[in-house]
Amino acid sequence: MIIPWQNLNPQTLDNIIESFVLREGTDYGLQEKSLQEKVTQVKSQLLDGTVAIFWSELHQTVDIRLVK
């Protein structure tokens, strides 16, 4: 299920994004970026619709994935 990021409390949204960018294996290219830069990049992708927040009822998890 897609969770509209606009409906989330700003702090909750920040927490979800920070959790996502801190996961092992998340790749941001050749140059290392700060946490704030990564969060800003993901927020930008949410704004332009490139990615969305997904809730898995089965696994009880939240993820950010590319929208196809």
Side-chain angles (χ1 to χ4, degrees):
M1 166 188 338
I2 295 178
I3 305 297
W5 62 268
Q6 302 91 330
N7 295 348
L8 296 174
N9 173 290
Q11 185 60 48
T12 301
L13 178 61
D14 285 344
N15 290 341
I16 290 170
I17 294 172
E18 285 181 19
S19 173
F20 173 75
V21 299
L22 291 172
R23 291 181 192 163
E24 288 289 323
T26 305
D27 185 13
Y28 291 89
L30 297 175
Q31 292 183 331
E32 190 60 35
K33 295 184 179 181
S34 71
L35 176 61
Q36 187 56 49
E37 288 171 319
K38 293 174 185 178
V39 168
T40 300
Q41 181 179 2
V42 173
K43 278 186 181 179
S44 174
Q45 292 171 330
L46 283 167
L47 282 169
D48 70 19
T50 305
V51 300
I53 300 172
F54 288 82
W55 166 253
S56 169
E57 184 74 30
L58 177 64
H59 298 103
Q60 300 286 302
T61 58
V62 174
D63 197 12
I64 298 174
R65 297 186 293 203
L66 288 172
V67 177
K68 297 182 181 185

